[in-house]
Amino acid sequence: MRAVFVAAFVAFLISLFGTPIAIKYFTRLKADQPIRTEGPKTHLGKKGTPTMGGVVFIFATLVAYTGGHVALTTLPDKQLRPTGPTATAVVLLGLFVFTGLLGFLDDYLKVAKRNSDGLNKRGKLIGQALIGAIFGAIALYVGADKTGRQVVTTVASPKLSWVHDIDWLNIGKIAAVVFFVFVVMSMSNAVNLTDGLDGLATGTSILVLISYMAIAFWQYRHWCADAQYTADYCYDVRDPLEMALIAGAAVGALVGFLWWNTSPARIFMGDTGSMALGSLIAGLAVATKTILLLPLLGLLFVIIVVTWVMQIGSYRTTGKRIFRMVPLQHHFELAGWSEVNIVVRFWIIAGLGVAAALGLFAADFLRVMSGAS
């Protein structure tokens, strides 16, 4: 756990003190977020706030990941710790960085054109699909030598999972890559839709990533590759400590960023940050084998996407709107709620989803262990 804390602390410091530098730099470049004219009028006061802040916490996470690996050298059991970058790190950090670059292109076009359009929807979806397919193929087809009792040799599995693989839901590797792409695209766009109020997507992502840090570390402590772990029930995943390290680094980086992103925000994460976070969460869901638990872990993201789909579907079929405006946070703005109230209440909803998901994860372990005894 020491390495995870080191990574989180290093990322926090880099993000906390690096974000003001980014604010000054992006302000000097006039890289401010274009404000949608059809949005809530209260957002007009945000004009001039720089965007692309996701660059800071992506950079902080990468540096902290390296720092965490230095801390790993102090662990006594070399067999159970990664001695260098693993396939898991390649998949998770690759998704994080490359979808971040796609989001950066979108943000850059918005700033350059001085409007909120940016990269067209088709281009964004194609980019997400391509990135998801590349790293999905790595996750499903790049293997490793077996270690101890470990039987999993790839980052992802052709089986769908709840809190572990479901044997009778084996969809095959090709279909699993397609499903991987779907999860990456869904989460990237879900976090992107949630990023509409100061600190909303940042705080929600922190809660989700903390849960994945806890899940991954728990899997490490009950890992099938650990010959010293004698219980019949273990987690057959790849590189759980690596997953905890990356999630912890991202959490630390986001906490430092939230200091400047909370209301009134001094900087926005932009599509650079929101798309990167969504894909990282998707990758963690696949790597920890909690894919079907993800809708509960990311409850707020799901609610915002579902209400957005409902609004679009209703308007296109009947010409009527269900909500005043979507994404959902803007509906409550137009209803008279203050921005801070919406953010805090939405964080509570996100926290309830995370708590319920972690409860189910723990309950499954306790159920199996009590049955075994």
Side-chain angles (χ1 to χ4, degrees):
M1 198 65 179
R2 182 192 314 163
V4 177
F5 283 138
V6 167
F9 186 65
V10 169
F12 169 74
L13 291 178
I14 294 174
S15 190
L16 181 65
F17 295 107
T19 303
I21 298 173
I23 292 171
K24 292 179 181 179
Y25 180 72
F26 288 138
T27 300
R28 191 180 305 123
L29 292 178
K30 297 182 178 180
D32 54 289
Q33 174 72 50
I35 305 300
R36 293 167 54 193
T37 55
E38 68 273 18
K41 300 304 178 186
T42 54
H43 286 212
L44 296 177
K46 300 175 185 287
K47 186 174 178 59
T49 305
T51 187
M52 295 187 271
V55 170
V56 180
F57 58 74
I58 292 173
F59 173 77
T61 301
L62 294 175
V63 174
Y65 168 77
T66 304
H69 262 274
V70 173
L72 284 177
T73 60
T74 63
L75 291 179
D77 194 341
K78 295 182 179 180
Q79 189 178 20
L80 293 179
R81 64 171 173 82
T83 55
T86 61
T88 302
V90 170
V91 171
L92 296 181
L93 294 178
L95 287 170
F96 195 44
V97 171
F98 282 94
T99 49
L101 287 173
L102 180 65
F104 182 85
L105 175 61
D106 189 33
D107 287 332
Y108 174 79
L109 291 175
K110 290 177 183 177
V111 171
K113 296 177 180 179
R114 308 309 303 171
N115 62 50
S116 59
D117 292 338
L119 189 65
N120 63 62
K121 292 180 181 179
R122 179 178 296 179
K124 190 182 297 186
L125 292 175
I126 290 174
Q128 291 171 339
L130 183 61
I131 293 168
I134 291 172
F135 290 102
I138 294 173
L140 266 298
Y141 287 95
V142 175
D145 293 332
K146 295 182 180 180
T147 305
R149 291 182 295 165
Q150 185 183 19
V151 295
V152 167
T153 58
T154 55
V155 177
S157 167
K159 301 173 184 177
L160 297 184
S161 56
W162 170 243
V163 295
H164 46 69
D165 276 342
I166 303 172
D167 290 335
W168 56 272
L169 280 179
N170 190 329
I171 61 176
K173 287 192 173 183
I174 295 177
V177 172
V178 174
F179 187 70
F180 185 97
V181 172
F182 169 75
V183 176
V184 168
M185 294 177 69
S186 298
M187 285 307 303
S188 293
N189 289 300
V191 179
N192 186 245
L193 286 172
T194 306
D195 182 33
L197 298 182
D198 296 350
L200 179 57
T202 307
T204 304
S205 297
I206 288 172
L207 292 172
V208 176
L209 288 169
I210 285 176
S211 69
Y212 274 119
M213 180 180 69
I215 287 171
F217 189 74
W218 183 261
Q219 290 176 334
Y220 172 68
R221 295 299 300 271
H222 306 84
W223 192 21
C224 294
D226 185 357
Q228 297 179 1
Y229 184 68
T230 58
D232 293 332
Y233 187 79
C234 60
Y235 294 96
D236 203 12
V237 295
R238 258 202 72 169
D239 312 311
L241 186 58
E242 190 88 325
M243 292 186 279
L245 187 68
I246 292 170
V251 167
L254 286 173
V255 172
F257 181 76
L258 184 60
W259 183 273
W260 306 101
N261 181 237
T262 193
S263 183
R266 296 278 304 280
I267 189 170
F268 301 136
M269 69 167 66
D271 284 8
T272 305
S274 61
M275 290 175 61
L277 288 172
S279 64
L280 176 60
I281 291 170
L284 284 166
V286 172
T288 58
K289 298 187 176 180
T290 55
I291 297 174
L292 299 182
L293 198 62
L294 178 58
L296 191 55
L297 274 167
L299 178 63
L300 181 65
F301 298 136
V302 173
I303 291 172
I304 287 179
V305 169
V306 169
T307 52
W308 182 82
V309 171
M310 289 170 59
Q311 178 87 325
I312 300 300
S314 176
Y315 187 74
R316 289 184 177 178
T317 56
T318 68
K320 296 180 179 179
R321 293 182 172 88
I322 301 173
F323 306 98
R324 290 180 172 91
M325 181 178 289
V326 288
L328 187 61
Q329 58 268 30
H330 300 321
H331 166 82
F332 290 103
E333 279 190 288
L334 295 179
W337 290 23
S338 71
E339 182 170 6
V340 172
N341 276 341
I342 297 169
V343 170
V344 172
R345 288 168 180 170
F346 276 33
W347 282 352
I348 292 172
I349 294 171
L352 291 173
V354 164
L358 289 178
L360 289 172
F361 181 84
D364 178 79
F365 180 83
L366 294 174
R367 174 186 60 82
V368 175
M369 293 302 291
S370 62
S373 61

